Amino acid sequence: MNPWESITPSEELEWHPCYGLIKANFRCARLTVPMDYNRPLSQSRAHPKVHIALLLLPGATPNTSKTASKSPLLLNPGGPGGSGVMILLAMADAIQKILGPDQPIIGFDPRGVSFTTPRADCWAKPPACTGCPEDAASGLMHRLEWDQMTSVYGLLNSSNVALKFLEAGHRAVNDLCRSKGAQLGAESILGHASTAHVARDMVSIVDAWDRWIESRGLPPSSLKGKLVYWGFSYGTYLGATFAKMFPDRVGRMILDGVVDADYYVSPVWEESLLDTDKVLDRFFLYCARAGRRCSLYREGDKAEDVGRRYSEIMERLQTSPVTFTHPEHFYPVILRASYVKTIVFSVLYSPIQGFPILAMLLNWVHEGKFDELAGLFQDATLMCSIIGNPAITGMLSDAQRAIMCSDKTQLVNLTIPEITTAYEQMASTSQFADIWMNLMLKCNGWDISTPHPISSASSTPSAYPWSPQASTPAANNNNQSQIETSFPLLFLSNTYDPVTPLHAAVKMAQRFKNAGLVEQLAQGHCTLSAVSGCTARIVREYVLQGKVPPPPVVFSPGENLKLDGEGEWTRCRANEGPWGVHDQDADWVQLAKTGGVAVEQVEDEGVVEAWRRVHEAVASVRKWGVMEREWEGFRFGNVW
């Protein structure tokens, strides 16, 4: 059952019990805000509304007339297009373990996403009559059929025609979205889904919470009117955008796995893959250190031997794809290099869980164990189960396309030669450019924009809060170009992140006055991809005590800086690595010493266990995300 269908939207927060089988004290609300903040709320089609889905885990300590309320922590899991409701369902208890049982937490679905209505769905067939609902089921079937059809093109460089057809496919979907927007007119969310709009929605959520606390006769929080926020991946762009638009509204803001805002709004987001191949190199290193615990290991292997075996497997798949008959569903299977490569790329997000599984998969390919490989391929019954499952159908939408493309500072209309040039430049940085470039193609030909200009001066969203590829400010905390917020931001990054490199975290931390930076000596996407009691302690002290680590000091600031330890900022060790290998080896320690700042460590087992629970919750969500993306033709489009 979908609990949201029974909740009547309201302009004030009205909390209803929901998801009781998961946790008894979960509460849901649907907060009504204007689709266009330049127009007042009304029932008119000319003034449509957005109903934001919010899931609350209340603080365990009951509020009394003598106890000041705590401002809730808002979560955004990234994407763009990730569901805050779903991430809170997975990790609510774990986060409260870190921040304390009295910390209320809210997961919300941004406009266009999942349970927030209207959803950004270009495929749902328009209503057949006035007042009739859209035909979402047939639209979903068409979406899945399209994804399966276009998956045959492989990756961008799979053939001499792949790019042409992939680009045409994205233009075709954008044409579909344009047609849907034209049919819905002012009621279409597609032109009102930008990050700037969502930042304005977060102001509405904060204000609605404060009104709700006041209506209960409770003392206001010391952070009344301020946003307390934790954003991951794309969620760091949302948080930074909020901080730039509403600097006096920042209460606490953690930005984890940092997106370079200046590149994100450009036609091609080029710098994301700076450290991707370094994460893959760590797979080879860990496998060699794990020995026989790693399925791809052979006696006496060093990291370079494992890497060589991996390259041989991928080259063999490229020249001679594996074929076999599915032992259960009885149909022919072709295992192509592009499919395996996308799995490898996904695993780089969560190395602790993913590396052992990847080693096993690669070893099956290496040894020709087709019965085990058959589990990667599903029967048509899975498609039918997806269509009938509202939790999953709500996740399959065009929110990512609508948000990401609306955030561009100019319409993207690249030619094939221009795309080729951009791809070749990206490929000089990473072997996974053929996967990442396909994400960039989503915005080619998208021309659905906000109908009229909007300005942050009138407390409404700025259309373009960031400028493409702006220069990095000097590493001087007193630089006048820095954005001064009512409370300093906290930036978190792994040393090697596959899609949000440390370079971006250092750069973005310099954009905000007195912002702290913590580098976690680990690999994977966002710091939650590893377990670190040190990082957990810093997060807890930041939220609960307002303790901010020092701003980064960069020795040689510049846009092309290679950040292999060339600066001073706080660094945290991880408590474990893949295969249980304790990751406090010489290379990490030397990296920390290069920066001239001592590595912090903490032995509080309670804090470590709390961070581990959050880590495991995120890993489970990402595992589901891999399953979802398989239905997108194994083309990885999600940033998170």
Side-chain angles (χ1 to χ4, degrees), residues 79 95 126 131 167 184 192 197 218 268-269 282 298 325 359 394 414 425 436 439 444 480 493 499 556 576 614 625:
I95 290 184
E167 192 275 340
L184 294 177
H192 297 85
H197 284 88
L218 298 174
V268 178
W269 186 4
R282 301 294 295 184
R298 299 296 183 268
T325 299
L414 301 175
Q425 182 173 344
W436 197 250
L439 171 65
N444 217 37
Q480 294 302 309
S493 176
V499 290
S556 302
E576 60 188 42
V614 177

Side-chain angles (χ1 to χ4, degrees), residues 142-272:
H142 294 153
R143 179 196 298 274
L144 298 177
E145 290 172 341
W146 173 266
D147 290 336
Q148 289 297 295
M149 180 185 73
T150 55
S151 70
V152 301
Y153 305 136
L155 298 176
L156 185 135
N157 63 341
S158 294
S159 69
N160 59 355
V161 296
L163 171 57
K164 177 175 66 176
F165 289 121
L166 288 171
E167 192 275 340
H170 284 301
R171 282 188 180 273
V173 174
N174 288 338
D175 288 341
L176 178 69
C177 293
R178 189 180 307 110
S179 299
K180 184 65 172 292
Q183 290 172 333
L184 294 177
E187 294 183 301
S188 172
I189 192 63
L190 297 175
H192 297 85
S194 74
T195 298
H197 284 88
V198 180
R200 181 61 184 84
D201 289 341
M202 291 199 292
V203 173
S204 296
I205 294 171
V206 170
D207 290 344
W209 174 271
D210 289 339
R211 292 195 301 271
W212 178 70
I213 289 296
E214 184 179 359
S215 70
R216 300 177 69 199
L218 298 174
S221 164
S222 60
L223 296 176
K224 179 181 179 181
K226 311 286 188 181
L227 174 68
V228 181
Y229 176 82
W230 194 346
F232 306 92
S233 193
Y234 157 81
T236 68
Y237 175 77
L238 172 58
T241 298
F242 180 97
K244 187 174 184 182
M245 291 174 59
F246 309 103
D248 60 335
R249 289 286 205 140
V250 174
R252 302 285 188 272
M253 183 170 287
I254 306 169
L255 303 184
D256 191 344
V258 184
V259 169
D260 187 323
D262 301 320
Y263 277 102
Y264 170 82
V265 299
S266 301
V268 178
W269 186 4
E270 293 182 1
E271 55 80 60
S272 304

